[in-house]
Amino acid sequence: MAKTIFLVDDSATILLSVSSILGKAGFAVEKASNADEALKKFKAGVKVDLLITDLNMP
């Protein structure tokens, strides 16, 4: 079973680029474009092995 990495970034370009790279490396990728979206996914039961987030988001 692939490890799941959760990306949170307000830049669509970064989300697309990093998720593509991680997907090609064999990881499952969850994405959110802001903190509210990420929290909703966590509350819905998304389980991840690693969280990568942008520190400079509105």
Side-chain angles (χ1 to χ4, degrees):
M1 182 174 195
K3 298 287 184 180
T4 301
I5 299 177
F6 197 159
L7 303 174
V8 184
D9 199 311
D10 58 336
S11 168
T13 303
I14 296 296
L15 280 178
L16 183 62
S17 300
V18 176
S19 65
S20 176
I21 291 166
L22 292 172
K24 288 178 183 176
F27 294 99
V29 180
E30 287 285 338
K31 297 179 282 189
S33 60
N34 58 56
D36 290 333
E37 186 180 336
L39 288 173
K40 285 178 187 173
K41 288 189 175 193
F42 277 125
K43 288 179 182 178
V46 169
K47 303 289 185 202
V48 301
D49 297 290
L50 176 68
L51 171 67
I52 299 174
T53 183
D54 181 0
L55 294 177
N56 295 315
M57 288 190 292

